[in-house]
């Protein structure tokens, strides 16, 4: 019997709009045949994979798809707004936007251990999603942005990509239209579906989001320093033509302060650390050599525009020995 979690050798690699259009047409038929007139639930983070699945399913089944976007307060600047604009306003999708910011940040208050932070964020996400799922009637299917590397990494056994660990009684049947595609193919399909470049070409972003870049116990003011400095870095990298060329870049704000001086007064503020790395598989990584004029521009903007910051540092450590993230 053919295993539908194995990519057939004969499957053409999707590299052009024409091939993507043919794939989309095929998947629309397959999804319609699978779900009939039933509702399908999708956790839409705004990342490449879930966004492509959402756009594909909107085309296939319109309002039968219910997208749930959980804003846990750890997303990058402008991301929740972009999800609402693209899916609700432009595609007229059935989108439930959940503002869970206080709920997440309250649970994370005072928690400094990185693994505990990750566990809290993961568990809270499932809890919020399940609450929303239970609020809806007649949902029998769960769509996921599982892609082929997820299946390969989990030995073809199970392919939980977005929402692992849902309670058994929900008993959703999975809808995974891009599960046999590689990342570059998912991006080609996303473009063919009309998703904006900023969504389709996004760099990898960890599930716990900015939570692992606000080192130690998260505070709202330091989290804002991470979010604002990250937005400046991304903007200046885009201006410099680095977007889509450097694999991953972000800022980190550690939980310590150092002395500074402003208007003749001594003050204590945080440093912002810039990280920009290239890698093939994230197992090892090299540091991008950012030209000094660009670094200085980013430094000036961060020091002028981000509250509570008095230093900008550039992390030049490769992986190994450093990891890409700071915790
Ligand atoms: P490290 O820091 O281990 O990161 O060198 C390697 C890659 O994995 C991402 N990363 C995560 N992704 N949940 C995720 O979904 C996590 O908890 C997590 N931690 C690290 C990191 O951004 C990098 O791309």
């Amino acid at each position: 019997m053919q295993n539908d979690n194995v990519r057939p050798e004969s499957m053409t690699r999707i590299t052009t709009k024409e091939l993507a259009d043919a794939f989309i047409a095929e998947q629309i038929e397959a999804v319609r045949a699978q779900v009939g007139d039933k509702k399908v639930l999708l956790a839409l983070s705004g990342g490449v994979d879930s966004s492509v699945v959402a756009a594909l399913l909107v085309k296939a089944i319109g309002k039968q798809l219910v997208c749930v976007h959980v804003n846990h307060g750890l997303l990058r600047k402008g991301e929740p707004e972009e999800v609402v604009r693209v899916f609700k306003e432009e595609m007229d999708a059935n989108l439930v936007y959940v503002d869970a910011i206080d709920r997440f940040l309250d649970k994370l208050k005072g928690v400094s251990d990185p693994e505990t932070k990750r566990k809290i964020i993961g568990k809270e996400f499932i809890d919020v999603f399940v609450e929303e799922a239970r609020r809806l009637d007649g949902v029998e299917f769960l769509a996921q942005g599982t892609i082929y590397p997820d299946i390969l990494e989990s030995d073809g056994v199970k392919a939980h990509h977005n929402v692992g660990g849902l309670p058994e009684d929900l008993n959703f049947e999975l809808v995974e239209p891009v599960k046999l595609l590689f990342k570059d193919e998912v991006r080609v399909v996303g473009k063919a579906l009309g998703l904006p470049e900023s969504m389709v070409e996004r760099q990898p972003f960890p599930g716990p989001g900015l939570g692992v870049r606000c080192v130690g116990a998260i505070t709202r003011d330091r989290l804002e320093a991470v979010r604002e400095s990250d937005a400046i870095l991304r903007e200046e990298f885009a201006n410099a033509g680095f977007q889509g060329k450097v694999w991953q870049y972000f800022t980190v704000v550690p939980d310590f302060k150092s002395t500074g001086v402003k208007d003749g007064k001594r003050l204590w503020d945080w440093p912002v650390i810039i990280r920009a790395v290239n890698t093939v598989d994230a197992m090892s990584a090299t540091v991008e050599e950012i030209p000094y004029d660009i670094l200085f521009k980013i430094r000036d903007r961060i020091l002028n525009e981000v509250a509570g910051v008095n230093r900008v540092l550039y992390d030049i450590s490769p992986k190994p020995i450093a990891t890409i993230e700071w915790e």
Side-chain angles (χ1 to χ4, degrees):
M1 201 179 88
Q2 192 194 335
N3 181 344
D4 65 359
N5 275 345
V6 176
R7 182 172 168 127
E9 269 179 37
S10 58
M11 192 168 148
T12 316
R13 190 118 184 162
I14 301 171
T15 50
T16 63
K17 172 144 181 17
E18 289 67 36
L19 291 167
D21 286 341
F23 173 83
I24 292 163
E26 209 175 87
Q27 286 306 317
I28 286 175
E29 287 314 309
V31 168
R32 284 181 184 157
Q34 185 187 0
V35 309
D37 60 0
K38 298 291 189 307
K39 281 189 202 153
V40 181
L41 192 61
L42 169 75
L44 175 58
S45 66
V48 181
D49 308 330
S50 67
S51 296
V52 169
V53 169
L56 184 61
L57 294 195
V58 166
K59 267 214 156 82
I61 55 170
K63 300 264 169 144
Q64 277 169 255
L65 174 72
V66 184
C67 304
V68 177
H69 178 63
V70 178
N71 183 355
H72 52 26
L74 305 168
L75 298 169
R76 290 175 290 193
K77 191 174 178 177
E79 276 179 350
E81 294 82 0
E82 186 177 47
V83 168
V84 172
R85 180 176 57 73
V86 169
F87 291 98
K88 196 158 196 150
E89 292 164 19
E90 291 173 17
M91 291 191 188
D92 194 27
N94 207 342
L95 174 75
V96 180
Y97 170 84
V98 187
D99 179 345
I101 300 174
D102 287 343
R103 187 170 162 167
F104 275 80
L105 295 186
D106 287 350
K107 281 259 158 62
L108 286 163
K109 209 170 192 167
V111 180
S112 56
D113 176 64
E115 290 319 310
T116 312
K117 283 167 71 179
R118 278 186 169 80
K119 275 201 192 104
I120 291 173
I121 296 165
K123 180 185 177 299
E124 207 55 28
F125 181 85
I126 298 292
D127 287 354
V128 172
F129 188 75
V130 168
E131 280 168 29
E132 292 304 319
R134 293 204 191 282
R135 237 190 277 280
L136 298 160
D137 265 348
V139 179
E140 292 184 17
F141 295 88
L142 178 73
Q144 295 201 135
T146 309
I147 66 172
Y148 204 44
D150 299 324
I151 291 183
L152 296 178
E153 279 160 26
S154 58
D155 296 329
V157 178
K158 222 170 203 175
H160 281 310
H161 183 67
N162 291 327
V163 200
L166 291 183
E168 294 243 317
D169 69 297
L170 283 174
N171 201 20
F172 292 132
E173 185 178 323
L174 295 181
V175 178
E176 299 178 303
V178 298
K179 72 175 176 185
L180 296 184
L181 302 191
F182 289 101
K183 196 81 181 191
D184 55 311
E185 299 177 285
V186 178
R187 293 192 209 276
V188 177
V189 170
K191 273 180 213 157
L193 285 163
L195 287 173
E197 194 88 2
S198 56
M199 228 168 214
V200 173
E201 291 299 342
R202 262 172 53 141
Q203 50 172 317
F205 187 60
L210 300 181
V212 293
R213 297 172 183 172
C214 188
V215 177
I218 298 169
T219 58
R220 286 174 193 250
D221 48 3
R222 206 153 48 80
L223 183 58
E224 279 323 297
V226 179
R227 196 178 342 258
E228 291 299 323
S229 57
D230 171 77
I232 292 170
L233 180 74
R234 284 193 289 139
E235 205 178 305
E236 292 305 328
F237 262 39
N239 290 341
F242 287 172
Q243 190 177 306
K245 294 206 176 97
V246 180
W247 194 78
Q248 197 174 20
Y249 45 95
F250 53 87
T251 60
V252 175
V253 181
D255 55 348
F256 59 79
K257 291 181 171 180
S258 70
T259 48
V261 59
K262 199 175 181 185
D263 305 326
K265 267 197 234 134
R266 218 172 143 77
L267 26 90
W268 287 82
D269 280 312
W270 301 299
V272 163
I273 297 151
I274 295 173
R275 190 96 171 109
V277 297
N278 291 305
T279 178
V280 175
D281 54 9
M283 298 299 286
S284 64
T286 55
V287 173
E288 174 72 18
E289 290 185 33
I290 313 171
Y292 266 99
D293 58 334
I294 296 169
L295 271 178
F296 284 177
K297 196 164 176 204
I298 295 166
R299 171 202 64 192
D300 290 345
R301 283 199 57 196
I302 290 176
L303 292 180
N304 280 324
E305 297 172 33
V306 184
V309 170
N310 65 357
R311 284 175 204 268
V312 177
L313 313 178
Y314 176 25
D315 183 351
I316 55 167
S317 325
K319 177 180 181 178
I321 186 165
T323 49
I324 296 175
E325 303 288 348
W326 266 55
E327 64 171 30

